[in-house]
Amino acid sequence: MKKVNLAIVGATGMVGRTFLKVLEERNFPIDNLFLFSSAKSAGSKVNYAGKEYTVEELTQDSFTNRGIQIALFSAGGTISEKFAPIASSNGVLVIDNSSHWRMDPDVPLVIPEVNPEAIKNHKGIIANPNCSTIQALVPLKPLDDKYKIKRVIYSTYQAVSGSGVKGVEDLEKGMEGNPTGFYPHQISYNCLPHIDSFTENGYTKEELKMINETMKILNNYDLKVTATTVRVPVKNGHSESINVEFEKSFELSDLVSSLNSAPGVVVVDNPANNEYPTAFEVDGSDEVFVGRIRRDFSIDNGINLWVVADNIRKGAATNTIQIAEKAIEYDLV
């Protein structure tokens, strides 16, 4: 794989730091590395692969005449809205973690195990899906291919790391009896059916992200999807209960076999021995883990799945880097 000049925007944040860790673990082919952040964090020193780098302040000129080929963005929607087009206009392929570009019809929304070919349609920006959407669709795509999904019901149990450093701090301080007030209610010893802001139809933005992104990635805007997303007092790792209704009938053994052979999926499903995925155990992993696989007897052709993944790795950093690897493989940079 040829080496590229790579930039990270938001290099000192939770996902930015994980970018660096995953890039090194995967031996990503970097020629020159550029690290950008806000003025507040500029000047920080970061070690990568045995070399020290100085973080630069992100400005309008950061991508001018630098030879940067790929930029991984994880600095929020406002930054991505402003700076992704600037980078793209300078010939940089932007892979963005924010929600800003995801539903833009001209921007591919990509999970490499699900729809890698969409990368080839980029116009300078590729969007990384929501973390909870990513881990849901890695196992759902092979089942959709085989049995055709008719309806999906998502119920998520999402870790505080999905809110960033401040979410983790609120949980940890709350466990000591001193919550920071970051969440609208105490998160320690509690569950909040409230991720992102509420909209006029009663759904939160997080729930609508899962609904709309599922339809876009599967390229099926007639698909019936609903969601309830819940923040839980877990430090890292999202868990999801997914109820699926298929158009076609299935044999349970064949369905499990399809999941076992799906890229990026690990089946952990032996309830007799209390074996099923948990957020604690998948922390630090890049795969999506599936268990509690059982028929939904209340409907025809229904299934229940329990799906768990590290939301900072597969849900953000690793998926983004996998997209970059595919872009190099497809000779798009």
Side-chain angles (χ1 to χ4, degrees), residues 244-262:
V244 187
E245 181 183 2
F246 299 107
E247 292 185 4
K248 299 178 181 178
S249 61
F250 61 88
E251 292 296 328
L252 189 60
S253 59
D254 290 339
L255 185 147
V256 173
S257 178
S258 294
L259 289 172
N260 268 312
S261 61

Side-chain angles (χ1 to χ4, degrees), residues 143-156:
L143 302 183
D144 184 50
D145 288 343
K146 192 166 185 178
Y147 306 112
K148 191 64 177 174
I149 295 175
K150 182 178 180 180
R151 187 186 185 211
V152 183
I153 303 171
Y154 294 127
S155 300
T156 74

Side-chain angles (χ1 to χ4, degrees), residues 103 207-217 221:
M103 297 312 298
E207 290 158 352
L208 294 178
K209 288 173 193 175
M210 291 197 74
I211 292 166
N212 295 326
E213 291 175 25
T214 295
M215 291 189 286
K216 180 175 179 178
I217 293 168
Y221 292 92

Side-chain angles (χ1 to χ4, degrees), residues 135-299:
Q135 74 180 71
L137 289 187
V138 169
L140 289 186
K141 178 59 164 63
L143 302 183
D144 184 50
D145 288 343
K146 192 166 185 178
Y147 306 112
K148 191 64 177 174
I149 295 175
K150 182 178 180 180
R151 187 186 185 211
V152 183
I153 303 171
Y154 294 127
S155 300
T156 74
Y157 309 84
Q158 297 180 220
V160 294
S161 60
S163 300
V165 174
K166 291 183 179 179
V168 175
E169 182 183 18
D170 197 2
L171 174 61
E172 292 177 341
K173 294 289 186 180
M175 292 295 188
E176 300 168 356
N178 299 297
T180 66
F182 175 72
Y183 293 110
H185 300 277
Q186 176 177 314
I187 187 61
S188 56
Y189 310 106
N190 206 6
C191 296
L192 308 182
H194 177 187
I195 301 178
D196 210 325
S197 56
F198 286 99
T199 66
E200 290 183 359
N201 63 12
Y203 282 77
T204 64
K205 287 184 178 180
E206 180 79 2
E207 290 158 352
L208 294 178
K209 288 173 193 175
M210 291 197 74
I211 292 166
N212 295 326
E213 291 175 25
T214 295
M215 291 189 286
K216 180 175 179 178
I217 293 168
L218 294 181
N219 194 29
N220 182 358
Y221 292 92
D222 294 322
L223 186 63
K224 304 300 183 183
V225 189
T226 191
T228 299
T229 59
V230 181
R231 187 73 71 195
V232 297
V234 171
K235 186 174 180 180
N236 192 54
H238 289 352
S239 303
E240 301 176 348
S241 172
I242 306 178
N243 178 270
V244 187
E245 181 183 2
F246 299 107
E247 292 185 4
K248 299 178 181 178
S249 61
F250 61 88
E251 292 296 328
L252 189 60
S253 59
D254 290 339
L255 185 147
V256 173
S257 178
S258 294
L259 289 172
N260 268 312
S261 61
V265 173
V266 177
V267 174
V268 181
D269 189 34
N270 186 358
N273 290 329
N274 297 326
E275 294 176 3
Y276 40 76
T278 71
F280 182 82
E281 291 165 328
V282 311
D283 188 42
S285 301
D286 290 325
E287 298 81 12
V288 175
F289 295 78
V290 183
R292 299 296 319 280
I293 305 167
R294 62 204 188 279
R295 284 188 181 273
D296 176 0
F297 297 119
S298 70
I299 56 170

Side-chain angles (χ1 to χ4, degrees), residues 128-142:
N128 194 64
N130 184 278
C131 50
S132 49
T133 307
I134 290 172
Q135 74 180 71
L137 289 187
V138 169
L140 289 186
K141 178 59 164 63

Side-chain angles (χ1 to χ4, degrees), residues 84-99:
I86 293 173
S88 179
S89 69
N90 281 278
V92 181
L93 173 59
V94 172
I95 306 173
D96 180 45
N97 257 282
S98 80
S99 62

